[in-house]
Amino acid sequence: MPVYMRSLETAVPPTILVQSQARDVFAAQPGLTRLGSRLVTTCFDSAAIDTRYTAVAELSLDAHPENPLFFDPASNRVLSPSTKVRNAIFATEATKLFIEAGKAAVAAAPGISLDDITHVITVSCTGFFNPGPDYKVVRALGLQPSVQRYHLGFMGCYAAFPALRAAKQFCTADPDAVVLVICTELCSLHVRTSNDPDTIMGSAIFGDGAAAAIVTAKEPEGPEPVIRLDHFETVLTPVGEEAMAWNIGDEGFEMVLGSYVPHIIEEHITGALEPLLAKEPGLAEMPYRDITHWAIHPGGRSILDKVESKLELTPEQLVPARETLREYGNMSSATVLFVLKYMLDRPATEREERICSMAFGPGLTVETGLLTLVSPGL
């Protein structure tokens, strides 16, 4: 029984971070060594990012807060609020994005109403509160109080895949199920200044955003394109446990993003794809580039470079990932859904076009999905 992503919508907070401006601010912070300042400039300039979005309004150069918590424009200093302060902002601002994206996804799904939703799955690794975002979505959207709610927390950049896989399983078990999946990440809450290369890299690439999808086995209505969820697989690489991590510190969450991560992905990516493509032997036997679309989580420019080179993909096949990175940065779990949204918004040339999708996270975990872009109007 086929299961479809009947809609996919995104949302971002209103404050824009211009990469060049953010670079200049971070490079000028007191306490940086000469090497640290050079690393800031190099990381920001080489990230292939133009803009990002942040839920922290005072990070804008145009903001003039009376009691600054994150950035003091008078001294041009990036501040270090406590984890409690950061998480309190998450509870308020993430809730707004969860609700905004969720409402948009329901409105964009023809033939689906709020009363049809049977399950809500929320995803985030950048904050915690309870009653959580799953509860807030049910209340704000006026969903049935009997809706089944699930929250996937603290998994990292690959978490959209477990959420979609769970949604598919619910719909396979119950053909009448309608699942609302929402990923919301406020990575910028945990930005800090440091001489540590991992911390500098996090400041250079992470942004905020949300994406929501309606998943159901109910057949699509109308000519708009949808995405069929065919297969999912997960693989743990034999190395890399220490190379990527996400820890809770006294002054926010602390990202570990080792410089060797792209090399680990390069070495193990083909092995990670094997169990996924084995689901359809015809795909396993063809060159990777013969699969039309590749929705790669843009964890960073160097990761995309390694994927493109190792799989011998065309530059055009990486455009959705690179454009998402350029416009939004790395929004953790929501990012790969932005990449899929980019594909949905472009004209298809065939009624069915295959998509191979993947994301990477702590572990080192590689999540993969085999999808189909279906255009009923063709």
Side-chain angles (χ1 to χ4, degrees), residues 44-73:
F44 276 73
D45 286 347
S46 64
I49 295 171
D50 290 346
T51 54
R52 291 174 283 164
Y53 292 80
T54 176
V56 185
E58 66 180 68
L59 289 179
S60 168
L61 294 179
D62 296 327
H64 300 285
E66 291 185 7
N67 300 299
L69 297 172
F70 287 82
F71 178 66
D72 180 6

PDB file of all heavy atoms in Angstrom, residues 44-73:
ATOM      1  N   PHE A  44      33.466  30.952   8.100  1.00  0.00           N
ATOM      2  CA  PHE A  44      32.304  31.685   7.603  1.00  0.00           C
ATOM      3  C   PHE A  44      32.377  31.862   6.082  1.00  0.00           C
ATOM      4  O   PHE A  44      31.379  31.709   5.385  1.00  0.00           O
ATOM      5  CB  PHE A  44      32.199  33.046   8.295  1.00  0.00           C
ATOM      6  CG  PHE A  44      31.498  33.012   9.625  1.00  0.00           C
ATOM      7  CD1 PHE A  44      32.113  32.471  10.752  1.00  0.00           C
ATOM      8  CD2 PHE A  44      30.220  33.517   9.754  1.00  0.00           C
ATOM      9  CE1 PHE A  44      31.468  32.445  11.978  1.00  0.00           C
ATOM     10  CE2 PHE A  44      29.561  33.506  10.974  1.00  0.00           C
ATOM     11  CZ  PHE A  44      30.200  32.958  12.094  1.00  0.00           C
ATOM     12  N   ASP A  45      33.560  32.181   5.571  1.00  0.00           N
ATOM     13  CA  ASP A  45      33.693  32.447   4.134  1.00  0.00           C
ATOM     14  C   ASP A  45      33.607  31.185   3.285  1.00  0.00           C
ATOM     15  O   ASP A  45      33.191  31.245   2.127  1.00  0.00           O
ATOM     16  CB  ASP A  45      35.022  33.154   3.852  1.00  0.00           C
ATOM     17  CG  ASP A  45      35.016  34.610   4.293  1.00  0.00           C
ATOM     18  OD1 ASP A  45      33.926  35.136   4.580  1.00  0.00           O
ATOM     19  OD2 ASP A  45      36.103  35.220   4.338  1.00  0.00           O
ATOM     20  N   SER A  46      34.014  30.050   3.832  1.00  0.00           N
ATOM     21  CA  SER A  46      34.031  28.813   3.050  1.00  0.00           C
ATOM     22  C   SER A  46      32.767  27.979   3.199  1.00  0.00           C
ATOM     23  O   SER A  46      32.652  26.901   2.620  1.00  0.00           O
ATOM     24  CB  SER A  46      35.241  27.956   3.448  1.00  0.00           C
ATOM     25  OG  SER A  46      35.147  27.543   4.801  1.00  0.00           O
ATOM     26  N   ALA A  47      31.801  28.477   3.965  1.00  0.00           N
ATOM     27  CA  ALA A  47      30.612  27.684   4.278  1.00  0.00           C
ATOM     28  C   ALA A  47      29.612  27.599   3.132  1.00  0.00           C
ATOM     29  O   ALA A  47      28.676  26.798   3.191  1.00  0.00           O
ATOM     30  CB  ALA A  47      29.916  28.263   5.518  1.00  0.00           C
ATOM     31  N   ALA A  48      29.773  28.431   2.090  1.00  0.00           N
ATOM     32  CA  ALA A  48      28.826  28.471   0.962  1.00  0.00           C
ATOM     33  C   ALA A  48      27.427  28.860   1.428  1.00  0.00           C
ATOM     34  O   ALA A  48      26.418  28.354   0.940  1.00  0.00           O
ATOM     35  CB  ALA A  48      28.797  27.133   0.222  1.00  0.00           C
ATOM     36  N   ILE A  49      27.375  29.772   2.386  1.00  0.00           N
ATOM     37  CA  ILE A  49      26.120  30.280   2.937  1.00  0.00           C
ATOM     38  C   ILE A  49      26.065  31.787   2.741  1.00  0.00           C
ATOM     39  O   ILE A  49      27.029  32.485   3.018  1.00  0.00           O
ATOM     40  CB  ILE A  49      26.011  29.946   4.443  1.00  0.00           C
ATOM     41  CG1 ILE A  49      25.923  28.440   4.649  1.00  0.00           C
ATOM     42  CG2 ILE A  49      24.800  30.638   5.068  1.00  0.00           C
ATOM     43  CD1 ILE A  49      26.041  28.021   6.108  1.00  0.00           C
ATOM     44  N   ASP A  50      24.931  32.267   2.248  1.00  0.00           N
ATOM     45  CA  ASP A  50      24.712  33.716   2.128  1.00  0.00           C
ATOM     46  C   ASP A  50      23.898  34.259   3.297  1.00  0.00           C
ATOM     47  O   ASP A  50      24.210  35.322   3.843  1.00  0.00           O
ATOM     48  CB  ASP A  50      23.994  34.044   0.816  1.00  0.00           C
ATOM     49  CG  ASP A  50      24.869  33.832  -0.405  1.00  0.00           C
ATOM     50  OD1 ASP A  50      26.097  33.696  -0.241  1.00  0.00           O
ATOM     51  OD2 ASP A  50      24.313  33.778  -1.525  1.00  0.00           O
ATOM     52  N   THR A  51      22.830  33.538   3.631  1.00  0.00           N
ATOM     53  CA  THR A  51      21.920  33.998   4.681  1.00  0.00           C
ATOM     54  C   THR A  51      21.462  32.825   5.529  1.00  0.00           C
ATOM     55  O   THR A  51      21.430  31.678   5.085  1.00  0.00           O
ATOM     56  CB  THR A  51      20.675  34.698   4.099  1.00  0.00           C
ATOM     57  OG1 THR A  51      20.049  33.818   3.149  1.00  0.00           O
ATOM     58  CG2 THR A  51      21.032  36.001   3.431  1.00  0.00           C
ATOM     59  N   ARG A  52      21.092  33.147   6.756  1.00  0.00           N
ATOM     60  CA  ARG A  52      20.439  32.203   7.655  1.00  0.00           C
ATOM     61  C   ARG A  52      19.342  32.957   8.391  1.00  0.00           C
ATOM     62  O   ARG A  52      19.265  34.180   8.318  1.00  0.00           O
ATOM     63  CB  ARG A  52      21.447  31.620   8.660  1.00  0.00           C
ATOM     64  CG  ARG A  52      22.475  30.691   8.034  1.00  0.00           C
ATOM     65  CD  ARG A  52      23.523  30.256   9.048  1.00  0.00           C
ATOM     66  NE  ARG A  52      24.512  31.305   9.311  1.00  0.00           N
ATOM     67  CZ  ARG A  52      25.336  31.312  10.361  1.00  0.00           C
ATOM     68  NH1 ARG A  52      25.245  30.363  11.268  1.00  0.00           N
ATOM     69  NH2 ARG A  52      26.221  32.280  10.517  1.00  0.00           N
ATOM     70  N   TYR A  53      18.506  32.232   9.105  1.00  0.00           N
ATOM     71  CA  TYR A  53      17.427  32.853   9.865  1.00  0.00           C
ATOM     72  C   TYR A  53      17.576  32.478  11.335  1.00  0.00           C
ATOM     73  O   TYR A  53      18.034  31.389  11.679  1.00  0.00           O
ATOM     74  CB  TYR A  53      16.062  32.392   9.347  1.00  0.00           C
ATOM     75  CG  TYR A  53      15.757  32.909   7.961  1.00  0.00           C
ATOM     76  CD1 TYR A  53      16.302  32.289   6.840  1.00  0.00           C
ATOM     77  CD2 TYR A  53      14.946  34.027   7.763  1.00  0.00           C
ATOM     78  CE1 TYR A  53      16.041  32.759   5.560  1.00  0.00           C
ATOM     79  CE2 TYR A  53      14.676  34.504   6.494  1.00  0.00           C
ATOM     80  CZ  TYR A  53      15.231  33.870   5.395  1.00  0.00           C
ATOM     81  OH  TYR A  53      14.973  34.339   4.138  1.00  0.00           O
ATOM     82  N   THR A  54      17.191  33.414  12.205  1.00  0.00           N
ATOM     83  CA  THR A  54      17.318  33.172  13.637  1.00  0.00           C
ATOM     84  C   THR A  54      16.067  33.620  14.383  1.00  0.00           C
ATOM     85  O   THR A  54      15.444  34.631  14.030  1.00  0.00           O
ATOM     86  CB  THR A  54      18.547  33.894  14.223  1.00  0.00           C
ATOM     87  OG1 THR A  54      18.575  33.693  15.650  1.00  0.00           O
ATOM     88  CG2 THR A  54      18.528  35.392  13.936  1.00  0.00           C
ATOM     89  N   ALA A  55      15.712  32.850  15.407  1.00  0.00           N
ATOM     90  CA  ALA A  55      14.592  33.207  16.271  1.00  0.00           C
ATOM     91  C   ALA A  55      15.024  34.186  17.355  1.00  0.00           C
ATOM     92  O   ALA A  55      14.188  34.685  18.112  1.00  0.00           O
ATOM     93  CB  ALA A  55      14.003  31.951  16.906  1.00  0.00           C
ATOM     94  N   VAL A  56      16.313  34.474  17.430  1.00  0.00           N
ATOM     95  CA  VAL A  56      16.835  35.430  18.418  1.00  0.00           C
ATOM     96  C   VAL A  56      16.898  36.799  17.762  1.00  0.00           C
ATOM     97  O   VAL A  56      17.871  37.153  17.095  1.00  0.00           O
ATOM     98  CB  VAL A  56      18.225  35.003  18.927  1.00  0.00           C
ATOM     99  CG1 VAL A  56      18.693  35.946  20.031  1.00  0.00           C
ATOM    100  CG2 VAL A  56      18.203  33.561  19.425  1.00  0.00           C
ATOM    101  N   ALA A  57      15.856  37.585  17.917  1.00  0.00           N
ATOM    102  CA  ALA A  57      15.736  38.861  17.209  1.00  0.00           C
ATOM    103  C   ALA A  57      16.898  39.801  17.505  1.00  0.00           C
ATOM    104  O   ALA A  57      17.322  40.581  16.645  1.00  0.00           O
ATOM    105  CB  ALA A  57      14.409  39.531  17.556  1.00  0.00           C
ATOM    106  N   GLU A  58      17.459  39.729  18.714  1.00  0.00           N
ATOM    107  CA  GLU A  58      18.516  40.677  19.071  1.00  0.00           C
ATOM    108  C   GLU A  58      19.852  40.355  18.395  1.00  0.00           C
ATOM    109  O   GLU A  58      20.802  41.132  18.509  1.00  0.00           O
ATOM    110  CB  GLU A  58      18.701  40.742  20.579  1.00  0.00           C
ATOM    111  CG  GLU A  58      19.219  39.489  21.220  1.00  0.00           C
ATOM    112  CD  GLU A  58      19.362  39.674  22.734  1.00  0.00           C
ATOM    113  OE1 GLU A  58      18.331  39.803  23.425  1.00  0.00           O
ATOM    114  OE2 GLU A  58      20.503  39.696  23.201  1.00  0.00           O
ATOM    115  N   LEU A  59      19.947  39.237  17.681  1.00  0.00           N
ATOM    116  CA  LEU A  59      21.156  38.957  16.907  1.00  0.00           C
ATOM    117  C   LEU A  59      21.231  39.804  15.641  1.00  0.00           C
ATOM    118  O   LEU A  59      22.255  39.848  14.979  1.00  0.00           O
ATOM    119  CB  LEU A  59      21.234  37.467  16.540  1.00  0.00           C
ATOM    120  CG  LEU A  59      21.525  36.509  17.693  1.00  0.00           C
ATOM    121  CD1 LEU A  59      21.554  35.071  17.185  1.00  0.00           C
ATOM    122  CD2 LEU A  59      22.839  36.859  18.382  1.00  0.00           C
ATOM    123  N   SER A  60      20.139  40.480  15.302  1.00  0.00           N
ATOM    124  CA  SER A  60      20.151  41.398  14.174  1.00  0.00           C
ATOM    125  C   SER A  60      20.935  42.657  14.531  1.00  0.00           C
ATOM    126  O   SER A  60      20.838  43.176  15.646  1.00  0.00           O
ATOM    127  CB  SER A  60      18.718  41.775  13.784  1.00  0.00           C
ATOM    128  OG  SER A  60      18.712  42.860  12.876  1.00  0.00           O
ATOM    129  N   LEU A  61      21.690  43.172  13.569  1.00  0.00           N
ATOM    130  CA  LEU A  61      22.427  44.417  13.794  1.00  0.00           C
ATOM    131  C   LEU A  61      21.486  45.604  13.947  1.00  0.00           C
ATOM    132  O   LEU A  61      21.877  46.659  14.448  1.00  0.00           O
ATOM    133  CB  LEU A  61      23.400  44.660  12.639  1.00  0.00           C
ATOM    134  CG  LEU A  61      24.549  43.650  12.504  1.00  0.00           C
ATOM    135  CD1 LEU A  61      25.421  43.995  11.299  1.00  0.00           C
ATOM    136  CD2 LEU A  61      25.388  43.597  13.771  1.00  0.00           C
ATOM    137  N   ASP A  62      20.237  45.425  13.533  1.00  0.00           N
ATOM    138  CA  ASP A  62      19.250  46.512  13.635  1.00  0.00           C
ATOM    139  C   ASP A  62      18.523  46.509  14.975  1.00  0.00           C
ATOM    140  O   ASP A  62      17.760  47.432  15.264  1.00  0.00           O
ATOM    141  CB  ASP A  62      18.230  46.401  12.502  1.00  0.00           C
ATOM    142  CG  ASP A  62      18.869  46.580  11.133  1.00  0.00           C
ATOM    143  OD1 ASP A  62      19.838  47.356  11.033  1.00  0.00           O
ATOM    144  OD2 ASP A  62      18.405  45.934  10.172  1.00  0.00           O
ATOM    145  N   ALA A  63      18.724  45.462  15.763  1.00  0.00           N
ATOM    146  CA  ALA A  63      18.029  45.370  17.048  1.00  0.00           C
ATOM    147  C   ALA A  63      18.754  46.208  18.102  1.00  0.00           C
ATOM    148  O   ALA A  63      19.979  46.335  18.094  1.00  0.00           O
ATOM    149  CB  ALA A  63      17.963  43.918  17.499  1.00  0.00           C
ATOM    150  N   HIS A  64      17.965  46.772  19.013  1.00  0.00           N
ATOM    151  CA  HIS A  64      18.546  47.572  20.094  1.00  0.00           C
ATOM    152  C   HIS A  64      17.853  47.215  21.409  1.00  0.00           C
ATOM    153  O   HIS A  64      17.094  48.012  21.979  1.00  0.00           O
ATOM    154  CB  HIS A  64      18.389  49.063  19.797  1.00  0.00           C
ATOM    155  CG  HIS A  64      19.059  49.482  18.523  1.00  0.00           C
ATOM    156  ND1 HIS A  64      20.429  49.628  18.399  1.00  0.00           N
ATOM    157  CD2 HIS A  64      18.546  49.752  17.287  1.00  0.00           C
ATOM    158  CE1 HIS A  64      20.736  49.982  17.165  1.00  0.00           C
ATOM    159  NE2 HIS A  64      19.613  50.068  16.470  1.00  0.00           N
ATOM    160  N   PRO A  65      18.114  46.003  21.918  1.00  0.00           N
ATOM    161  CA  PRO A  65      17.448  45.565  23.150  1.00  0.00           C
ATOM    162  C   PRO A  65      17.916  46.364  24.362  1.00  0.00           C
ATOM    163  O   PRO A  65      19.087  46.745  24.466  1.00  0.00           O
ATOM    164  CB  PRO A  65      17.864  44.096  23.269  1.00  0.00           C
ATOM    165  CG  PRO A  65      19.177  44.018  22.528  1.00  0.00           C
ATOM    166  CD  PRO A  65      19.055  45.001  21.396  1.00  0.00           C
ATOM    167  N   GLU A  66      16.982  46.613  25.274  1.00  0.00           N
ATOM    168  CA  GLU A  66      17.339  47.350  26.489  1.00  0.00           C
ATOM    169  C   GLU A  66      18.236  46.510  27.402  1.00  0.00           C
ATOM    170  O   GLU A  66      19.169  47.022  28.028  1.00  0.00           O
ATOM    171  CB  GLU A  66      16.063  47.760  27.237  1.00  0.00           C
ATOM    172  CG  GLU A  66      15.238  48.824  26.526  1.00  0.00           C
ATOM    173  CD  GLU A  66      14.062  49.278  27.371  1.00  0.00           C
ATOM    174  OE1 GLU A  66      13.991  48.857  28.552  1.00  0.00           O
ATOM    175  OE2 GLU A  66      13.222  50.031  26.860  1.00  0.00           O
ATOM    176  N   ASN A  67      17.928  45.243  27.496  1.00  0.00           N
ATOM    177  CA  ASN A  67      18.705  44.330  28.326  1.00  0.00           C
ATOM    178  C   ASN A  67      19.159  43.140  27.487  1.00  0.00           C
ATOM    179  O   ASN A  67      18.530  42.086  27.511  1.00  0.00           O
ATOM    180  CB  ASN A  67      17.870  43.849  29.528  1.00  0.00           C
ATOM    181  CG  ASN A  67      17.419  44.990  30.412  1.00  0.00           C
ATOM    182  OD1 ASN A  67      18.244  45.708  30.978  1.00  0.00           O
ATOM    183  ND2 ASN A  67      16.102  45.166  30.524  1.00  0.00           N
ATOM    184  N   PRO A  68      20.217  43.320  26.730  1.00  0.00           N
ATOM    185  CA  PRO A  68      20.639  42.269  25.806  1.00  0.00           C
ATOM    186  C   PRO A  68      21.057  40.980  26.523  1.00  0.00           C
ATOM    187  O   PRO A  68      21.685  41.028  27.589  1.00  0.00           O
ATOM    188  CB  PRO A  68      21.823  42.892  25.065  1.00  0.00           C
ATOM    189  CG  PRO A  68      22.322  43.972  25.969  1.00  0.00           C
ATOM    190  CD  PRO A  68      21.108  44.492  26.677  1.00  0.00           C
ATOM    191  N   LEU A  69      20.681  39.857  25.912  1.00  0.00           N
ATOM    192  CA  LEU A  69      21.033  38.557  26.456  1.00  0.00           C
ATOM    193  C   LEU A  69      22.033  37.814  25.561  1.00  0.00           C
ATOM    194  O   LEU A  69      22.882  37.078  26.064  1.00  0.00           O
ATOM    195  CB  LEU A  69      19.771  37.690  26.621  1.00  0.00           C
ATOM    196  CG  LEU A  69      18.720  38.199  27.603  1.00  0.00           C
ATOM    197  CD1 LEU A  69      17.463  37.349  27.506  1.00  0.00           C
ATOM    198  CD2 LEU A  69      19.268  38.179  29.023  1.00  0.00           C
ATOM    199  N   PHE A  70      21.892  37.996  24.243  1.00  0.00           N
ATOM    200  CA  PHE A  70      22.722  37.265  23.295  1.00  0.00           C
ATOM    201  C   PHE A  70      23.767  38.145  22.609  1.00  0.00           C
ATOM    202  O   PHE A  70      24.857  37.682  22.304  1.00  0.00           O
ATOM    203  CB  PHE A  70      21.839  36.614  22.216  1.00  0.00           C
ATOM    204  CG  PHE A  70      21.056  35.438  22.706  1.00  0.00           C
ATOM    205  CD1 PHE A  70      19.865  35.604  23.389  1.00  0.00           C
ATOM    206  CD2 PHE A  70      21.505  34.149  22.483  1.00  0.00           C
ATOM    207  CE1 PHE A  70      19.143  34.517  23.851  1.00  0.00           C
ATOM    208  CE2 PHE A  70      20.802  33.053  22.931  1.00  0.00           C
ATOM    209  CZ  PHE A  70      19.608  33.240  23.623  1.00  0.00           C
ATOM    210  N   PHE A  71      23.405  39.399  22.352  1.00  0.00           N
ATOM    211  CA  PHE A  71      24.320  40.285  21.631  1.00  0.00           C
ATOM    212  C   PHE A  71      24.127  41.711  22.106  1.00  0.00           C
ATOM    213  O   PHE A  71      23.008  42.226  22.131  1.00  0.00           O
ATOM    214  CB  PHE A  71      24.077  40.193  20.122  1.00  0.00           C
ATOM    215  CG  PHE A  71      24.959  41.107  19.312  1.00  0.00           C
ATOM    216  CD1 PHE A  71      26.331  40.906  19.265  1.00  0.00           C
ATOM    217  CD2 PHE A  71      24.407  42.172  18.598  1.00  0.00           C
ATOM    218  CE1 PHE A  71      27.149  41.747  18.522  1.00  0.00           C
ATOM    219  CE2 PHE A  71      25.216  43.017  17.848  1.00  0.00           C
ATOM    220  CZ  PHE A  71      26.592  42.800  17.811  1.00  0.00           C
ATOM    221  N   ASP A  72      25.230  42.335  22.501  1.00  0.00           N
ATOM    222  CA  ASP A  72      25.203  43.711  22.977  1.00  0.00           C
ATOM    223  C   ASP A  72      25.714  44.623  21.861  1.00  0.00           C
ATOM    224  O   ASP A  72      26.920  44.677  21.611  1.00  0.00           O
ATOM    225  CB  ASP A  72      26.081  43.850  24.214  1.00  0.00           C
ATOM    226  CG  ASP A  72      26.084  45.274  24.756  1.00  0.00           C
ATOM    227  OD1 ASP A  72      25.326  46.113  24.236  1.00  0.00           O
ATOM    228  OD2 ASP A  72      26.848  45.529  25.701  1.00  0.00           O
ATOM    229  N   PRO A  73      24.813  45.336  21.174  1.00  0.00           N
ATOM    230  CA  PRO A  73      25.259  46.166  20.050  1.00  0.00           C
ATOM    231  C   PRO A  73      26.163  47.317  20.476  1.00  0.00           C
ATOM    232  O   PRO A  73      26.971  47.802  19.683  1.00  0.00           O
ATOM    233  CB  PRO A  73      23.948  46.672  19.445  1.00  0.00           C
ATOM    234  CG  PRO A  73      22.942  46.574  20.537  1.00  0.00           C
ATOM    235  CD  PRO A  73      23.357  45.406  21.372  1.00  0.00           C
TER     236      PRO A  73
END
